[in-house]
Amino acid sequence: MRMWLRCSPFVIALALAAGCGSGAGSSPGSGPASPAYDPAGSPGASVLRLRPGPYTFHVGRDVRVGQRIRCFTDAGRPAGGGSVAPRGHGVGSSTGFEAITSATGRVRVACPANPGSA
């Protein structure tokens, strides 16, 4: 188990974000308490599954360009999604989902709590 965690800085960042639980959304890998991730995926899974709230990740450290993001409500219903865009670009949808990558590689993701009413 230790070797698997050592090989997966992304999983470690998610675990730290879950432990903090403040939901401030301004520190690397932060988000609401207990963010979900693809439980069936490997450490390099291409789909990041998130609960409602703001998240901040970094390209190359936490996520990679092109990585899929799927948002789900607390009840488990789909709430939109997209993918990590190249630096200086972003994506969004009518559900309220948004993922913007800054020129410095900071990725800000917003997953809606009530999709479609954002």
Side-chain angles (χ1 to χ4, degrees):
M1 179 90 170
R2 280 185 161 172
M3 186 172 160
W4 180 76
L5 288 175
R6 194 175 311 139
C7 296
S8 180
F10 180 68
V11 172
I12 293 170
L14 284 175
L16 290 173
C20 295
S22 68
S26 61
S27 62
S30 68
S34 303
Y37 63 94
D38 186 10
S42 63
S46 61
V47 178
L48 178 64
R49 298 170 54 101
L50 301 172
R51 291 183 178 172
Y55 296 85
T56 301
F57 301 104
H58 291 275
V59 171
R61 185 177 71 196
D62 305 317
V63 294
R64 66 183 186 283
V65 171
Q67 184 171 1
R68 299 279 304 150
I69 302 169
R70 299 280 316 253
C71 296
F72 292 88
T73 64
D74 286 329
R77 292 186 11 244
S83 61
V84 176
R87 293 173 189 242
H89 296 277
V91 296
S93 71
S94 61
T95 64
F97 168 80
E98 185 175 84
I100 300 171
T101 306
S102 72
T104 62
R106 178 177 288 169
V107 181
R108 295 189 185 262
V109 177
C111 282
N114 300 305
S117 63

